[in-house]
Amino acid sequence: MKSAHALNMGAPTPGALSASDPAALLAAVLQANAGTANTRLKQVMDALIRHLHALALEVDLSPAELDQALDFLVRVGQASGPQKNEGILLADILGLATLVQLRGAREALAQGGTEPALVGPFWRANQPVRACGENIALADTPGAPLHVRGRVLSLTGVPLVDARVETWQASPQGLYENQDPHQQDMNLRGVFLTDGQGRFDFHSVRPAGYPVPVDGPCGELLAAQGRGVMRPAHLHFIVVAAGHKVLATQFFDIEDPHAHKDVVFGAVGSLLRRFEPDGRGGFSLDLELRLERGETVLPHCPLP
Ligand code: BEZ
Ligand code: FE
């Protein structure tokens, strides 16, 4: 029979971690992070380590469950590519994107700034620049006509001239053009520049709501949670004006059956709008986009 020493069952080595002391383990991991030179990274990593350890203790996470969680994250990465960003989708269905955006805008909101909404995974780089008044619904896009008119203003109501207004939306079938072989490249997408009074306008078709992509691990999670998968119909905007913070937002059709059940929690208060009938079978949407002064930092564009 081997001795207790040979089996490593003797008295604990001085300075070694004890398996029954999670607080000492946490302290050791935080100590390992103490030399992180970037102070913001250190702060974020400290909090991440503390919250992850607390979570594992709270739910008594098993090794098999940890494996399952890590496999989920690997599959989120594997499901991402030029057509889809599953990582963004994960942050969205957890409400994290909405939380971070609303928090980042709290000072602007207190001064009447436009509410932000998540960018989502379908914004494309190099959307076509169009003249005001043009139609972003290219030929062969059936649907009820929609005329969008807007003004870009500072928080004090000064019109922002030459602001860049990016927009994109799903079709009346609820599909973005890059999900739908029946739509032309860059259909229902455009970039407009505001005029001397901060105005822009464009024509389109009324969008429909749609399910978020459920063919990846996020879809599995939503199903396991017994959640809906729909977003209410909306148009996306990213507004860029010199000397101002970038505004990413969306305006939602208040008549959509999922207007108050957005799976990604983006359809908040003032962003729910009535698409006004124009009496000729079409609709109009009038918008005011109020931007806060500050540094112009563009969000990451997920798709080429
Ligand atoms: C979108 O609005 O394009 C979107 C946002 C989150 C998940 C899926 C789509
Ligand atoms: Fe969308």
Side-chain angles (χ1 to χ4, degrees):
M1 190 161 156
K2 290 188 176 168
S3 68
H5 179 75
L7 285 171
N8 201 17
M9 289 168 61
T13 315
L17 287 167
S18 157
S20 60
D21 188 356
L25 174 62
L26 174 60
V29 181
L30 291 173
Q31 182 55 37
N33 189 46
T36 305
N38 180 320
T39 52
R40 178 64 175 161
L41 178 63
K42 178 177 180 303
Q43 181 189 18
V44 172
M45 285 307 299
D46 270 349
L48 183 71
I49 292 162
R50 279 190 281 103
H51 286 280
L52 286 177
H53 280 232
L55 178 143
L57 291 177
E58 182 184 323
V59 304
D60 203 8
L61 196 71
S62 72
E65 287 167 334
L66 178 58
D67 277 352
Q68 204 181 346
L70 295 176
D71 178 60
F72 179 84
L73 290 180
V74 168
R75 291 189 298 118
V76 166
Q78 288 167 340
S80 301
Q83 295 301 316
K84 187 159 74 104
N85 189 318
E86 193 85 359
I88 292 181
L89 186 55
L90 180 60
D92 293 345
I93 65 173
L94 294 177
L96 196 57
T98 295
L99 173 70
V100 168
Q101 261 196 322
L102 287 176
R103 198 163 160 75
R106 60 195 186 284
E107 281 172 22
L109 292 177
Q111 298 168 68
T114 302
E115 282 182 282
L118 41 86
V119 174
F122 289 113
W123 179 33
R124 285 186 67 184
N126 304 313
Q127 299 194 144
V129 178
R130 301 190 188 283
C132 281
E134 271 192 55
N135 201 329
I136 61 170
L138 305 179
D140 305 327
T141 310
L146 174 68
H147 187 196
V148 179
R149 286 180 292 245
R151 277 190 99 188
V152 180
L153 304 167
S154 73
L155 291 185
T156 53
V158 177
L160 299 180
V161 180
D162 280 337
R164 186 183 158 90
V165 180
E166 294 232 11
T167 187
W168 68 102
Q169 65 167 82
S171 69
Q173 284 70 43
L175 289 168
Y176 286 93
E177 78 20 84
N178 52 329
Q179 298 177 299
D180 180 2
H182 302 295
Q183 292 182 56
Q184 289 186 50
D185 189 40
M186 293 289 181
N187 192 31
L188 299 171
R189 296 176 185 272
V191 178
F192 298 88
L193 291 182
T194 56
D195 68 10
Q197 275 86 50
R199 291 177 307 208
F200 66 93
D201 81 297
F202 61 89
H203 292 269
S204 185
V205 286
R206 188 175 181 168
Y210 57 83
V212 294
V214 289
D215 55 349
C218 290
E220 286 170 32
L221 179 59
L222 289 170
Q225 293 178 302
R227 289 173 55 179
V229 299
M230 294 298 290
R231 299 218 66 205
H234 57 273
L235 289 93
H236 291 260
F237 290 90
I238 289 185
V239 188
V240 185
H244 289 77
K245 291 190 183 171
V246 173
L247 172 70
T249 193
Q250 304 175 34
F251 290 96
F252 298 87
D253 182 349
I254 200 165
E255 286 170 3
D256 188 292
H258 299 96
H260 301 286
K261 289 183 276 185
D262 183 2
V263 62
V264 294
F265 312 100
V268 292
S270 68
L271 302 180
L272 284 157
R273 298 294 169 93
R274 193 165 306 283
F275 290 23
E276 294 295 343
D278 64 7
R280 290 170 276 123
F283 296 87
S284 67
L285 183 61
D286 288 293
L287 304 174
E288 222 179 59
L289 298 150
R290 288 184 176 257
L291 273 60
E292 182 186 12
R293 286 201 73 80
E295 201 187 342
T296 307
V297 183
L298 266 184
H300 168 71
C301 184
L303 297 179

